[in-house]
Every structure is written in C-alpha cells, then in structure tokens.
Amino acid sequence: MGLMWDDTDSVGVPELDLQHQQLFNVLCNLMAHPEASVDSELIADALDQLTWYGDAHFRAEESLLRAHAYPLLDEQLAGHREYRRAVAEFCFATTAGSDKVPAQLLAFLRSWWDGHIRGADRRYAAFLRERNLV
Ligand SMILES: [Fe+2]
C-alpha cells in the first residue's frame, strides 16, 4: 500500500502543510504496525495526536478560510465535525478495549487522507491560489 507525501499535497500555507504532514506521519505509523493492539502505546499516541490535530489544525484552517470568505466553508466545517466525532468514538472504543480499533482507525485515516486532504483541502488550496492569497 504505497503512500507518499508529494508537492501536490501542499496547500501553500506552511503551517497547514506541516500539520498535514504530522497527520500523514500518524497514518504511516499505523500502516507500519498493523499488529498494534488496542491497548498499545502506538494507538494511544495516535489518538492523542489526532485529538490535538482536530483542535489546532482545524482552528487554523477554519480561521484562514473564514478570513477569505471561502464559499465552501460550511462543507469544510461539516467534514471537521465528522472527523472530531469519529476520533471521539475511537477514544471511547479504545477505553472499552475494542480490538477492532487499530484496523478501523487505519481505514478511517486512509479514507480521510484520500477524501478530505486530497479532496476538500485541495479545493480550498486551489481557491486560495487562484486569488493569489497564498
Ligand atoms: Fe486540513
């Protein structure tokens, strides 16, 4: 399952790119350790980082898009809400010791990467670029 960060993943804003790369690293770590158990440090660290990301990164992204009156802001906000809800559920499921968490978390992040970061985020990147805002 090859997955690489490349220049087309850049949204043109260094802070946001760095945060996307941090999320990418979490994904790579999960992919590298498919045997990780629900009570492992790897899963605990991943959930910590995903929770932090859902706060700091989304706040930075949303304030930038709001400042530029991004027309698809509502869609972006809905995606972020969905992410936070999913991560909170993974935290509950981990506390409950559900052994499905590692595989489900990996599948979730994989689809977040393909659908949101390489979908919705690329759309706002194009919007910012077209207006010479980045
Ligand atoms: Fe993002």
Side-chain angles (χ1 to χ4, degrees), residues 11 16-17 19-20 23 53 57-58 61-62 65 76 80 112 116-117 120-122 124:
V11 295
L16 300 181
D17 280 344
Q19 292 166 333
H20 281 165
L23 186 81
Y53 179 92
H57 172 65
F58 292 163
E61 206 172 75
E62 289 166 12
L65 298 181
Q76 191 74 5
H80 290 175
W112 178 260
H116 189 86
I117 295 183
D121 286 1
R122 283 190 181 182
Y124 82 64

Side-chain angles (χ1 to χ4, degrees), residues 62 72-84 112 116:
E62 289 166 12
L72 299 177
L73 179 64
D74 284 350
E75 194 181 294
Q76 191 74 5
L77 295 180
H80 290 175
R81 266 196 304 277
E82 176 60 23
Y83 169 101
R84 285 197 200 91
W112 178 260
H116 189 86

Side-chain angles (χ1 to χ4, degrees), residues 81-96:
R81 266 196 304 277
E82 176 60 23
Y83 169 101
R84 285 197 200 91
R85 191 193 55 72
V87 171
E89 274 177 16
F90 279 119
C91 290
F92 287 130
T94 299
T95 305

